[in-house]
Amino acid sequence: MPNANLIPVFDGHNDFLLRLYFGPDQREKTWLQGGTQGHLDLPRMKRGGFAGGLFAIYVPSPRRDKTGVDGIMNNPPYDMPLPAPIPATAAQPVALAMAGHLMWMERSSDGAFRLVRSAREIEQAMDDGVIAGVMHMEGAEAIAPDLDALHVFHALGLKSLGPVWSRPTAFGHGVPFRFPADPDIGPGLTNSGKRLIRECNALKILVDLSHLNQKGFDDVASLTDAPLIATHSNAHAVTPSARNLTDSQLEMIRDSKGMVGLNFGTVFLREDGRRAPEIGWEPVFRHLDHLIERLGEDHVGFGSDFDGATIPEGIGDVTGLPTLQDALRRHGYDDALLEKLCWRNWVGALRRTWGD
Ligand SMILES: [Zn+2]
């Protein structure tokens, strides 16, 4: 049933391109007809009021034993071993394929989906009732230290880049999936990483802090002239995962007029750090309340991690966004605040970063 109070959601992070990449025979059917697998597809995005978001190009490591990962993450304390680095020569064809996914998604959607490159284009797409996709890269494996490929991907539409997923790259060291743990684990950016940040600034590419460790975070903060943004991370004070943001990191983000997108991943929401999806709304409220208290209500949004994480059963998939909004209304958030969380803050932060 259409919800009259449905507020559109622009989201900071999803892994839909990876799901398409893993199912090449079914990919157009997955996108256009959808189904019940995963969290995202075009029909479900429309039903859930998904206005758009950052779509991650992420190069997977060779398949890990999924049951092993689940077993580890359901039994804290844990420290997931990180996969080996991936050379640029191996990563580039995969990253190009995923960039290509965004392009055929646009062409096949009959005007329902548009690849966008500016805040103005996001607003235009929202006015037109078209879903807006921003090209993001999670981990810069496909870019060699000469940075030539950065310019190529930028020309293809790349507007946001995380120098690392948690796996190490030529540019830096990511934060491991460790619970409970402080994010201050390992060294910061390499010299190539510092050059990458400066080049991203020059090209007006958002530098994503999610997955960076403390020293990498501090290196970006001291180099960048853009707002500090973590697209999909939560509050360490509530869930002490190494992937979450400490209060001092939140303070730096606030002072830069930056942005944090709430990650729906249960391992980053639950106080016990477990992966199990059976949680009520309390952990979501606690993280959002904390982020709003520390950052102010103009600097918090969503970074769902749809198709990349186990999410609360109360959300289920992208069609659960209206249910989330209803829960937040019951928690006491009014529609003006909900609009900020759902899309206005993201558009504002992207405009401050990109300049238009
Ligand atoms: Zn991620």
Side-chain angles (χ1 to χ4, degrees):
M1 201 173 68
N3 183 335
N5 295 321
L6 180 59
I7 297 169
V9 172
F10 187 91
D11 176 54
H13 186 87
N14 76 69
D15 286 301
F16 181 62
L17 301 179
L18 181 66
R19 192 155 70 83
L20 290 175
Y21 181 79
F22 276 137
D25 304 335
Q26 296 285 315
R27 63 188 206 180
E28 295 206 11
K29 186 164 169 277
T30 299
W31 166 232
L32 296 173
Q33 294 177 33
T36 55
Q37 297 284 308
H39 300 144
L40 293 173
D41 51 53
L42 187 54
R44 280 187 288 176
M45 287 179 192
K46 288 179 183 168
R47 289 217 308 278
F50 185 87
L54 276 64
F55 284 68
I57 293 171
Y58 165 78
V59 179
S61 288
R63 288 273 193 160
R64 284 182 291 181
D65 176 2
K66 189 86 171 51
T67 41
V69 171
D70 282 344
I72 293 170
M73 287 187 128
N74 251 334
N75 289 292
Y78 59 77
D79 181 12
M80 287 256 299
L82 288 173
I86 300 176
T89 46
Q92 273 176 10
V94 182
L96 281 172
M98 290 193 197
H101 290 357
L102 277 172
M103 289 166 197
W104 65 250
M105 282 163 60
E106 180 176 39
R107 288 178 65 87
S108 66
S109 73
D110 201 20
F113 176 80
R114 196 181 289 162
L115 183 60
V116 297
R117 299 166 193 245
S118 67
R120 193 170 31 82
E121 287 180 0
I122 294 171
E123 288 169 334
Q124 185 64 56
M126 289 179 72
D127 284 349
D128 296 344
V130 171
I131 296 165
V134 171
M135 190 190 292
H136 166 74
M137 190 177 274
E138 182 173 38
E141 279 85 357
I143 297 164
D146 59 29
L147 305 186
D148 285 343
L150 178 70
H151 293 271
V152 175
F153 281 104
H154 178 247
L156 294 176
L158 185 72
K159 296 297 294 181
S160 173
L161 170 75
V164 292
W165 176 72
S166 287
R167 183 178 54 201
T169 68
F171 306 107
H173 300 265
V175 68
F177 297 90
R178 198 180 287 183
F179 181 96
D182 189 89
D184 193 2
I185 301 168
L189 297 180
T190 62
N191 286 333
S192 298
K194 292 173 184 169
R195 285 183 47 243
L196 176 70
I197 303 308
R198 290 192 197 97
E199 203 64 19
C200 284
N201 274 185
L203 294 169
K204 303 270 185 208
I205 294 173
L206 185 165
V207 175
D208 185 10
L209 297 163
S210 289
H211 290 282
L212 276 172
N213 61 17
Q214 179 72 53
K215 289 193 173 62
F217 181 105
D218 292 341
D219 284 341
V220 173
S222 67
L223 286 165
T224 190
D225 54 18
L228 299 178
I229 294 179
T231 59
H232 60 305
S233 293
N234 295 344
H236 192 271
V238 180
T239 302
S241 164
R243 261 284 277 112
N244 284 341
L245 299 159
T246 63
D247 284 347
S248 66
Q249 290 177 314
L250 294 176
E251 200 170 305
M252 291 166 77
I253 291 171
R254 181 198 65 205
D255 292 347
S256 76
K257 299 198 174 1
M259 178 83 195
V260 173
L262 179 84
N263 192 319
F264 297 169
T266 47
V267 287
F268 310 124
L269 283 174
R270 294 175 63 113
E271 287 184 21
D272 64 8
R274 289 175 64 230
R275 175 172 259 190
E278 299 83 13
I279 61 172
W281 294 109
E282 259 327 294
V284 174
F285 299 158
R286 228 167 281 150
H287 278 279
L288 279 176
D289 286 347
H290 189 86
L291 291 173
I292 290 169
E293 180 197 315
R294 296 293 163 148
L295 296 166
E297 65 175 46
D298 293 333
H299 302 280
V300 183
F302 298 132
S304 69
D305 224 341
F306 280 140
D307 281 329
T310 299
I311 67 172
E313 60 180 359
I315 300 176
D317 64 14
V318 67
T319 63
L321 290 173
T323 314
L324 169 64
Q325 289 173 17
D326 286 342
L328 293 172
R329 279 191 190 95
R330 288 197 304 276
H331 182 53
Y333 290 7
D334 62 19
D335 275 16
L337 175 56
L338 279 176
E339 280 201 3
K340 290 182 178 186
L341 298 177
C342 287
W343 67 274
R344 285 191 189 279
N345 289 348
W346 263 123
V347 174
L350 294 175
R351 177 169 280 121
R352 291 192 292 279
T353 305
W354 296 338
D356 62 350

